[in-house]
Amino acid sequence: MNTLSTLLSAIVLLAAAALAPGQDLTRTAPEQSAPVFLVGAEVHTVSGEVIPDGVVAFNDGVITLVGRRADVMPRINLSPDSRVIDATGHRVYPGLIASNTRLGLTEIGAVRATHDYNETGPLTPEVTPAVSVNPDSTLIPVARSNGILTFASMPSGGRVPGALSVMRAEGWTWEDMTIARRAGIVLSWPNMRPAYRAFPGANTPADPAEAVAAIDALFTRAQAYDALRRADDNAPIDIRMESMRNLFAEAASQQIPLFINANDIDQIRAAVTWAATRSLKAVIVGGRDAPLVSDLLVAHDVPVVLSGTHTWPKRADSPHDDPFTLPKRLADAGVTFAIDTSDRDGNVRNLPYEAARSAAFGLDPAHALRSITLDAAAILGVADQLGSIDRGKRATLLVTEGDILEVTTNIKHAFVDGREIDLTNKQTELRDKYREKYRQLGTIPAQNEAANQ
């Protein structure tokens, strides 16, 4: 028994040591306490024109004024507590939105205890990622420091692994961070072609027809349950079925989307057709073959969340730039889409560069920006709050030195609901640590060090 106790204690200590580096030490900003005016910047509203020499003002976390400096500043009287930031020569953008991540649900790849994105069981629609998001994750500040101020946490693993939660990248607790606890339900559509197994006895995936029949049975049961609850408020509550009821809301404004993971043409065609027969609001996630069925997507008004551009072509005979031109092909076909990252956790920070890749391969840069702001917000159901710089929307925005899609651009200020947030993270701390080391060694001349700040 003593040996067992010692072994268990050692395991606990090792786990604690492994998890210790995963503690984010940045501080959450306080609520906005005074009006803020960003003056002189080039304002990229996304929803409208680019405003040169513009002004953006916000108070109590809400944008109150957007316009040209020459038109606005002579007509307003600043209160004594107003904060005016001279943003001349800079640009203002809405905060970037990552549409498909595991931020807050994972931390260290080698430590299973930090993986909280895969619930046990194939059918768990009641799972809500928001309640499991770790506000102290070190991955969130890294993404935040590169402009990702809003993200969607999406579970994976089962056929229906749970809901999708929309989160702000700032807050003391998961409640502080939550924008929409259940913005949609996630469904992984089965492969429509039986997989070949070279060896007898190898694990064979379920027959596609059987897998689709299981999905159909679940949704038939859920719709029947919804009808029962509408007719009788006192009917017994089934938590699993209750969690799916908003998929069938009669009012379009209350109906949440079904986010369907599908990449192959057969998957997308089958999933969109099936969702249409049930009058479900579908969103395709992945969408590698989406251009091949663009007519179907447009006909049923189905948007796509693309899984990044920094990836490989699907087929051996595909053009080398196939992933890079995919957004342009969807845009030409009239399909609404959001670009997301190829990496769903540690490299979510690369979101603007995945959009930039599509711009370098034909997509209009303004459309590339919209795919990670306003279009992403619309797909996630939060376009009334986020995604553009308009009066009445949340003051979640960025002040940058240059084009947000350029790798060399630095972010000078970031605001979440009007609060100016800390842009440091574990990586910037390590940068400063080793910069100091080489300064002491004389490797970095003082003028170079100042230039790199």
Side-chain angles (χ1 to χ4, degrees):
M1 182 63 70
N2 289 338
T3 302
L4 179 59
S5 299
T6 302
L7 179 60
L8 290 175
S9 299
I11 291 173
V12 170
L13 289 173
L14 286 172
L19 293 174
Q23 181 76 13
D24 169 40
L25 299 180
T26 60
R27 299 181 182 182
T28 295
E31 297 291 332
Q32 183 182 3
S33 59
V36 175
F37 289 78
L38 306 176
V39 181
E42 181 180 274
V43 180
H44 292 253
T45 62
V46 178
S47 60
E49 63 176 345
V50 175
I51 305 174
D53 196 20
V55 177
V56 177
F58 47 93
N59 193 23
D60 294 329
V62 176
I63 298 172
T64 56
L65 185 153
V66 182
R68 297 177 184 273
R69 173 157 56 176
D71 298 334
V72 170
M73 297 308 289
R75 296 189 290 104
I76 61 173
N77 293 317
L78 298 177
S79 61
D81 62 342
S82 294
R83 178 188 177 194
V84 178
I85 299 176
D86 183 4
T88 303
H90 293 71
R91 304 186 188 190
V92 177
Y93 293 95
L96 307 185
I97 301 173
S99 306
N100 177 16
T101 80
R102 292 195 297 231
L103 287 177
L105 302 179
T106 186
E107 193 67 30
I108 302 169
V111 181
R112 177 64 184 86
T114 68
H115 301 179
D116 206 9
Y117 50 81
N118 187 347
E119 193 71 21
T120 301
L123 303 174
T124 55
E126 72 279 9
V127 167
T128 304
V131 302
S132 293
V133 167
N134 174 20
D136 290 325
S137 168
T138 60
L139 302 182
I140 294 174
V142 172
R144 187 173 64 202
S145 65
N146 209 33
I148 292 85
L149 304 185
T150 306
F151 62 90
S153 281
M154 188 181 295
S156 57
R159 184 65 66 198
V160 182
L164 172 146
S165 299
V166 182
M167 315 293 290
R168 57 178 64 84
E170 171 81 350
W172 291 110
T173 66
W174 70 263
E175 292 93 340
D176 294 339
M177 298 174 67
T178 301
I179 297 172
R181 292 179 74 245
R182 298 180 63 83
I185 301 293
V186 181
L187 167 66
S188 293
W189 197 262
N191 290 323
M192 300 308 293
R193 304 176 192 177
Y196 171 72
R197 289 292 180 266
F199 302 99
N203 291 331
T204 302
D207 178 76
E210 292 180 3
V212 173
I215 294 172
D216 218 34
L218 173 67
F219 280 78
T220 295
R221 178 184 170 195
Q223 285 185 298
Y225 173 85
D226 178 60
L228 173 64
R229 291 278 289 147
R230 288 176 193 273
D232 182 5
D233 288 340
N234 295 319
I237 294 177
D238 181 322
I239 294 177
R240 182 163 291 176
M241 296 296 101
E242 190 73 24
S243 69
M244 299 177 66
R245 289 190 64 194
N246 284 345
L247 289 170
F248 317 114
E250 293 180 346
S253 60
Q254 297 178 352
Q255 186 180 20
I256 62 174
L258 181 65
F259 290 83
I260 308 175
N261 289 292
N263 275 298
D264 292 338
I265 181 173
D266 294 344
Q267 286 181 300
I268 298 172
R269 183 184 289 118
V272 171
T273 303
W274 171 85
T277 62
R278 288 189 172 273
S279 300
L280 297 171
K281 185 188 295 184
V283 175
I284 295 298
V285 179
R288 189 170 51 196
D289 282 345
L292 302 178
V293 286
S294 58
D295 290 348
L296 182 67
L297 296 171
V298 172
H300 293 286
D301 193 23
V302 175
V304 179
V305 175
L306 296 172
S307 297
T309 58
H310 293 173
T311 185
W312 298 98
K314 175 186 175 184
R315 301 177 179 88
D317 59 349
S318 297
H320 75 281
D321 60 357
D322 190 66
F324 310 153
T325 63
L326 195 155
K328 172 66 162 58
R329 285 177 279 141
L330 286 182
D332 290 345
V335 177
T336 300
F337 62 90
I339 295 176
D340 208 70
T341 54
S342 307
D343 186 330
R344 297 179 60 198
D345 35 58
N347 287 309
V348 172
R349 61 191 173 87
N350 286 331
L351 176 64
Y353 313 137
E354 305 240 12
R357 179 72 65 183
S358 69
F361 282 78
L363 184 65
D364 178 58
H367 198 156
L369 175 62
R370 196 169 75 238
S371 74
I372 55 176
T373 52
L374 189 55
D375 285 346
I379 291 171
L380 296 175
V382 294
D384 60 329
Q385 306 174 58
L386 299 163
S388 63
I389 299 178
D390 292 301
R391 290 182 60 184
K393 287 196 173 184
R394 295 177 183 268
T396 297
L397 41 83
L398 306 166
V399 180
T400 71
E401 291 180 340
D403 189 339
I404 191 64
L405 300 184
E406 291 286 348
V407 176
T408 54
T409 292
N410 292 318
I411 295 174
K412 301 299 292 183
H413 304 276
F415 300 87
V416 172
D417 291 348
R419 298 174 290 174
E420 184 164 13
I421 64 173
D422 186 353
L423 291 175
T424 62
N425 59 65
K426 184 177 180 180
Q427 294 181 5
T428 61
E429 292 296 323
L430 288 171
R431 175 202 66 193
D432 294 343
K433 171 183 176 178
Y434 288 103
R435 180 175 289 164
E436 173 63 16
K437 171 185 176 181
Y438 289 108
R439 185 194 67 79
Q440 293 180 16
L441 292 174
T443 305
I444 302 177
Q447 62 270 24
N448 288 354
E449 180 186 10
N452 288 329
Q453 291 292 338

